[in-house]
Amino acid sequence: MNAPDLKLVVDNTPVEPAAGVSRFHESARAQVAGAATYIDDIPEVRGTLHAAPVCSPVAHGILKGIDPSAALALPGVHAFIGPDDIPGDKMLAAFAHDEQVFAQGTVQFLGQVGGLIVADDVMTARRAARLVKWDIEALEPVLTPQQAHEKQRYVLPPVHVRRGDAVAALQRAPHRLKGEFEVGGQEHFYLEGQIAYVLPLEQNQWWVYSSTQHPGEVQHWVSHALGLSNHAVTVECRRMGGGFGGKETQAGHLAVWAAVAANRLRRPVKLRLDRDDDFMITGKRHPFAYRYTVGFDDTGRLCGLDLDMLANCGYSADLSGPVADRAIFHADNAYFLEDVAVHSFRCKTNAQSHTAYRGFGGPQGVIVIERIMGDIARHLGLDALDVRLRNLYGITERNVTHYQMTVEDNILEPLITQLARTSDYRERAEQIAHWNASSPVIKRGIALTPVKFGISFTATLFNQAGALVHVYTDGSVQVNHGGTEMGQGLNTKVAAIVADELGVPFEKVLSTASDTSKVPNASATAASSGTDLNGRAAQFAARQVRQNLAAFVAGLDGVGAGAVRFENGQVITEKQTRSWESVVGAAYANRIQLWSDGFYRTPKIHYDKVTMLGRPFYYFAYGAAVTEVAIDTLTGESRVLKVDILHDVGRSINPAIDIGQIEGGFVQGMGWLTTEQLVWNGKGYLQTHAPSTYKIPATGDVPAHFKVELWPEANREDNVHGSKAVGEPPFMLGISVFEALRDAVAQAGGKPEAMNAPATAEEVLRALG
């Protein structure tokens, strides 16, 4: 080994660690300046054509034909692309193999894509698509999960999970309540709509720009439709303008459609849905309907529960199986269920195929048990918080879920009691009762609800990740991983993890675009596991590079490799302190490997897909929220007045980003349960398909008092940096808004047990009776 001339370092000024501190999102400045590139900003290759979908005007019927002649007569139109243009399988490569690329034989929902019009420009394509004529013999559509359940129309077989004897426990219970209610779906409403841009390359290879949370699946779907091997298709995604689950599978549809058109015409094709088409074509959060019987004692402790969950899946399975499974897993939320039977029905309706959405079925499970807790409290004349505390999981007893997973990291009781104390919950509840007694029109309500959310993909095989770390001769570092950036700060966190592993400043590390030619077979960025999986894989890759460098420097100084420290942009032994850059340059000169891959698989997880028993989650993330609301009993209008949140993110990698995720998740959950109403008419037409009729929360809906604090304890499992996932769990804190509204309705003398979600003004008035 040569002994190169390495520069000694005299500047020992401490450098702030990259992880564990608040810092800007890595793209924040570019986004604010309008310089961050999204797919529609990519300069178009010469010869690019634009596609628009041809959508069914009928929700259910026999498809006799499609006539594009009027569209093809429009100047600038190149072709109609239909089923006959698909060189590979005419069914999408979805796991259930139940979705056609383009509609054939039968139309399943209003908005189903039967083909594309391809033209010189996007507006010509869209105008022409609306000229295409459909010949459909209409059939009666099934539009509600109750109708589907009655007809036993399911996209997947029903699932039943039981523990103990719910029937006998209910018979013995001192008190029993029965209830039915519905929770609506939710439009993803990402700022950047669905888009794909497909470019033909040499030798029947393809480059696909896709706004997707799962580039590997898009690669598989496109190659399947084109009849090619996966290696012929490369999918790239630098960033999305939001995803929320809506781009986990359904981004694949656009990529396939555009690829089929590009293959037929041998030219690049871009397909970008406008907002109306996005609403009409893509799936939403699954609407659910519930029926339950619950038994409990005089203190409010549960004795037994029999619960039916009817998931409105739309016309195909998509991700409905794992979504409905997670709803089962989260039907307990924070509470021990001793004798319980949960019956899950995955109902097939003539609607868009509903899909992943932040929480992935968890919110639909959590809300039913939180509603039950509130109803029990009112039935017994108790404070709902006391009923919740009475039913919490224990530490050494009453600590096994209904799917036989032991809750080993339980912090529910101390977290909830701390929030109740710091938010003055009990004092405020008393004050609200006094205030309501003297307020004839405006009534207030308050609720504290917790969340216990399991972290891992319920499909165990997806709990794996890979990453590449490259160190260049000037000391700069590049990291590439299989995750995707959709604004949640994944690349920022991964860069911080790599920087700390190598002991270099954060600014030295660049995260690059997700690319299937770099990290193959990557899982979707979903299930809140993006940092857990990809961050750990990147850490392992960086660690291997560091170990290579440590061995090199140890040889120079005659010390053990374990005695070499990497910190503050320096490489330190007991004999010398050297700059990072000089060590890297010398290592290259001595032919030391300066790049590595990393791979991670989540440990400990396992469960039986048939019995639904086992340990599907690596750990749980916890949190709680106190929300105070007011309702106008004359109009049904409601307003959120105060929010206090205490949330568990473990040892935060970036507190600013984590708090932003908590705030955003809460507001999105609030929107789901208050203003975001999806309305289909009797013909299956989605009437709320634009911002004029579908209302997401605005800045004016966020209360001035919005306080978020982080629980101070690190993850008890060996997770990267001691952190916990943060993307989905805070969404369910928004359930506190719904429960506070039901409390206000109750204090106004109404019927909170009759209230469905979302709690629009009309729904609040209906519950007030």
Side-chain angles (χ1 to χ4, degrees), residues 535-604:
R536 186 63 111 185
Q539 184 182 48
F540 287 170
R543 185 168 297 169
Q544 183 59 55
V545 174
R546 190 190 71 191
Q547 289 171 347
N548 294 347
L549 292 173
F552 168 63
V553 172
L556 295 178
D557 288 2
V559 300
V564 181
R565 306 198 319 273
F566 293 76
E567 56 191 51
N568 295 334
Q570 302 168 354
V571 183
I572 305 165
T573 71
E574 61 185 20
K575 294 187 177 181
Q576 286 198 42
T577 297
R578 302 174 173 93
S579 72
W580 161 261
E581 292 81 2
S582 63
V583 169
V584 168
Y588 171 76
N590 281 272
R591 296 179 293 175
I592 304 299
Q593 183 175 328
L594 294 174
W595 63 271
S596 185
D597 62 322
F599 179 80
Y600 175 69
R601 51 180 288 179
T602 308
K604 297 186 177 181

Side-chain angles (χ1 to χ4, degrees), residues 56-60 107-112 139-144 147 279-281 284 312 349-352 354 678-689:
S56 167
V58 173
H60 191 204
V107 170
Q108 301 276 11
F109 73 95
L110 198 157
Q112 185 173 1
L139 301 173
E140 187 70 22
V142 174
L143 300 176
T144 70
Q147 291 173 338
F279 263 88
M280 299 301 292
I281 293 170
K284 325 299 178 192
N312 183 342
T349 60
N350 293 115
Q352 295 85 347
H354 297 312
L678 292 164
V679 179
W680 285 268
N681 68 15
K683 296 183 178 180
Y685 175 74
L686 179 61
Q687 295 178 292
T688 51
H689 58 84

Side-chain angles (χ1 to χ4, degrees), residues 162 381 440 614 656:
R162 298 178 176 89

Side-chain angles (χ1 to χ4, degrees), residues 122-138:
V122 63
M123 296 311 297
T124 298
R126 289 174 179 172
R127 284 195 298 270
R130 285 157 174 75
L131 299 177
V132 175
K133 304 297 183 184
W134 292 70
D135 184 4
I136 300 172
E137 181 184 329

Side-chain angles (χ1 to χ4, degrees), residues 646-717:
L646 179 58
H647 196 72
D648 164 36
V649 299
R651 184 188 298 124
S652 177
I653 296 171
N654 189 317
I657 284 177
D658 286 346
I659 289 172
Q661 285 290 297
I662 294 166
E663 292 171 341
F666 178 91
V667 171
Q668 195 171 45
M670 176 180 78
W672 171 49
L673 297 172
T674 55
T675 61
E676 297 187 44
Q677 186 177 31
L678 292 164
V679 179
W680 285 268
N681 68 15
K683 296 183 178 180
Y685 175 74
L686 179 61
Q687 295 178 292
T688 51
H689 58 84
S692 58
T693 49
Y694 185 84
K695 298 299 183 180
I696 64 173
T699 53
D701 297 309
V702 179
H705 179 103
F706 195 160
K707 183 180 178 183
V708 177
E709 292 187 352
L710 302 180
W711 183 255
E713 182 183 351
N715 193 335
R716 296 180 189 177
E717 294 291 350

